Amino acid sequence: MSTQTFAEKIAQAQDFLPINGTDYIEFYVGNAKQAAHYYKTAFGFKSLAYAGPETGVRDRASYVVQQGKIKLVLTSGLQSDSLISEHAKKHGDGVKILALWVDDAYDAYEQTIKRGAESYLEPQTLTDEFGEVKMAGIYTYGETVHMFIERKNYDGAFMPGYEKWESDYNPSDAGLLYVDHCVGNVDWNRMLPVVKWYEDVMGFVNILSFDDKQINTEYSALMSKVMSNGNGYSKFPINEPAEGQRKSQVEEYLDFYEGEGVQHIAVATKDIIKTVTELKARGVEFLSAPPEAYYDMIPDRVGEIDEDIKKLQNLGILVDCDEEGYLLQIFTKPVEDRPTLFYEIIERHGAQSFGAGNFKALFEALEKEQEKRGNL
Ligand code: FE2
């Protein structure tokens, strides 16, 4: 284990691309109206803005929903030959744009293009009565895009082109606060080139790495490297499949997404027990809880935690720790028909890592159960 803290590693990032955090995440989906309803009903997002034929946009419908600092844009194409419809046809519902909030979108574009980025959208300034938003975009892995959004001179609901979306249907929120990290799945032998891309083009640093010896089960394995910008507000772990006895979960994703893309979005809460209880009541499906032995081992493995372990166990919430503290996390099942995108709910108590300890612990717990049955 490296002796550097996360803060020390992050401090080595280059500062040519200052990022204030995630601005929004845009999905290209088959039916944006229904997707928006799902995020409101199941996850507790609120209506924020809308763009479509009624607002003068002819080729698409976009619904923006918000919870805490998290803004999701659900977009559908209105004709079969639109690039949005083609994206949804190929990949299923999925993330198209990971938008980053910057102070200078034109400069962000220039700096990254200069370092080898492929252009998606040349810098442009959009204006309306609420001010101006500057934006530009570059491709990252697969067909996924990083959009740079500069909104310091804007005080409208979302951005020019959108109208405020007032809805009579406003379910209560679920305590989701901000995007903690977004994970990308890339193809065989593509993790290192993508990591190098984040280093060279974005000035990010690699703060954590796992190889297939650390993240594996008897059947499946993956490799991962976590990339972070200079203030730690923007973290993109990159996964690549690894050889196992059976198909790796990353490989399954690549097969069904038909390419590289966003695997999971981790959203932070300050009260994971409350949040998960709420989400379950609204129909969000989570991966099943690990065996009892996993929870019996928490005091030894993690040390003292504030939460009642019994409550965590009832909800299937996982616990992990690093040198700086502990974290609580749980993963949803995929939120569409294809086994592709899912969500992670995370509550950090000092720990800056990503829960890799849970893989091993989960495994050991499984074997302990197996042993109890006399089958090990
Ligand atoms: Fe994660």
Side-chain angles (χ1 to χ4, degrees):
M1 188 63 79
S2 155
T3 51
Q4 273 187 321
T5 63
F6 284 98
E8 284 163 350
K9 285 184 189 171
I10 284 171
Q12 294 162 8
Q14 295 179 60
D15 58 1
F16 61 79
L17 179 58
I19 296 170
N20 303 320
T22 305
D23 194 282
Y24 65 87
I25 298 172
E26 183 163 4
F27 301 73
Y28 282 179
V29 300
N31 188 336
K33 181 180 254 185
Q34 291 192 0
H37 189 73
Y38 170 78
Y39 280 103
K40 287 174 68 175
T41 302
F43 282 89
F45 282 81
K46 293 265 193 293
S47 302
L48 179 68
Y50 170 77
E54 299 86 344
T55 70
V57 178
R58 303 308 303 169
D59 66 334
R60 66 180 70 193
S62 293
Y63 294 78
V64 190
V65 295
Q66 180 170 25
Q67 183 168 186
K69 291 179 178 170
I70 312 161
K71 279 179 276 184
L72 306 181
V73 183
L74 291 318
T75 295
S76 284
L78 300 181
Q79 268 89 36
S80 62
D81 61 353
S82 103
L83 291 176
I84 298 159
S85 305
E86 279 174 16
H87 194 280
K89 182 188 174 196
K90 182 171 169 65
H91 302 295
D93 290 4
V95 173
K96 175 64 180 178
I97 294 169
L98 293 167
L100 305 170
W101 173 29
V102 299
D103 290 330
D104 188 336
Y106 281 61
D107 189 57
Y109 182 84
E110 193 185 312
Q111 295 296 333
T112 51
I113 290 290
K114 193 165 82 183
R115 290 170 169 82
E118 184 192 342
S119 178
Y120 170 75
L121 178 75
E122 288 194 7
Q124 52 177 255
T125 303
L126 307 174
T127 56
D128 67 10
E129 73 232 71
F130 301 105
E132 63 175 32
V133 168
K134 294 181 179 179
M135 64 195 300
I138 59 170
Y139 280 101
T140 174
Y141 47 80
E143 289 195 89
T144 317
V145 166
H146 282 315
M147 201 75 92
F148 302 117
I149 305 291
E150 172 188 337
R151 51 169 73 254
K152 56 179 179 287
N153 297 316
Y154 193 70
D155 60 5
F158 182 56
M159 60 169 66
Y162 286 79
E163 285 181 5
K164 195 169 168 38
W165 175 18
E166 308 264 18
S167 174
D168 294 333
Y169 177 60
N170 299 297
S172 59
D173 74 69
L176 302 178
L177 299 172
Y178 57 88
V179 174
D180 186 276
H181 59 276
C182 290
V183 180
N185 277 346
V186 300
D187 224 325
W188 296 93
N189 304 315
R190 279 268 300 145
M191 181 179 73
L192 292 178
V194 173
V195 161
K196 190 165 168 26
W197 184 90
Y198 274 99
E199 286 170 348
D200 295 349
V201 173
M202 304 280 281
F204 281 36
V205 284
N206 173 219
I207 57 168
L208 210 55
S209 300
F210 310 105
D211 63 24
D212 48 343
K213 304 285 176 300
Q214 291 161 294
I215 306 186
N216 65 75
T217 67
E218 191 182 345
Y219 299 121
S220 170
L222 65 87
M223 296 188 282
S224 187
K225 281 185 182 288
V226 182
M227 305 307 292
S228 174
N229 79 322
N231 57 18
Y233 291 170
S234 211
K235 281 177 282 191
F236 300 119
I238 305 297
N239 295 337
E240 172 185 317
E243 293 289 354
Q245 278 189 33
R246 293 186 190 168
K247 189 181 271 187
S248 154
Q249 51 163 296
V250 178
E251 202 181 351
E252 185 194 34
Y253 174 101
L254 296 169
D255 285 352
F256 281 89
Y257 195 72
E258 297 192 19
E260 302 180 342
V262 174
Q263 178 212 38
H264 76 264
I265 299 167
V267 287
T269 171
K270 274 200 180 110
D271 188 345
I272 196 168
I273 290 174
K274 203 169 157 205
T275 293
V276 173
T277 302
E278 186 66 38
L279 295 178
K280 283 196 168 183
R282 295 163 180 232
V284 176
E285 296 177 320
F286 291 90
L287 294 183
S288 52
E292 195 168 356
Y294 173 91
Y295 292 94
D296 295 342
M297 287 158 70
I298 286 177
D300 286 344
R301 190 168 65 84
V302 177
E304 212 166 289
I305 61 173
D306 297 340
E307 292 73 17
D308 179 352
I309 292 180
K310 199 78 205 158
K311 282 187 183 165
L312 299 176
Q313 185 179 352
N314 288 340
L315 293 166
I317 294 166
L318 307 173
V319 190
D320 195 22
C321 64
D322 61 24
E323 294 87 342
E324 297 173 53
Y326 70 96
L327 63 84
L328 306 164
Q329 65 183 167
I330 188 168
F331 299 93
T332 72
K333 292 181 179 174
V335 293
E336 57 282 287
D337 298 315
R338 299 192 199 190
T340 53
L341 178 80
F342 59 88
Y343 284 83
E344 171 183 348
I345 313 298
I346 185 166
E347 178 180 339
R348 293 187 182 277
H349 288 259
Q352 297 302 308
S353 55
F354 295 82
N358 276 323
F359 289 86
K360 201 169 161 51
L362 237 153
F363 211 53
E364 284 170 359
L366 281 166
E367 284 170 354
K368 223 171 163 178
E369 291 290 306
Q370 213 177 331
E371 196 176 18
K372 273 189 203 164
R373 294 189 293 268
N375 295 331
L376 193 67

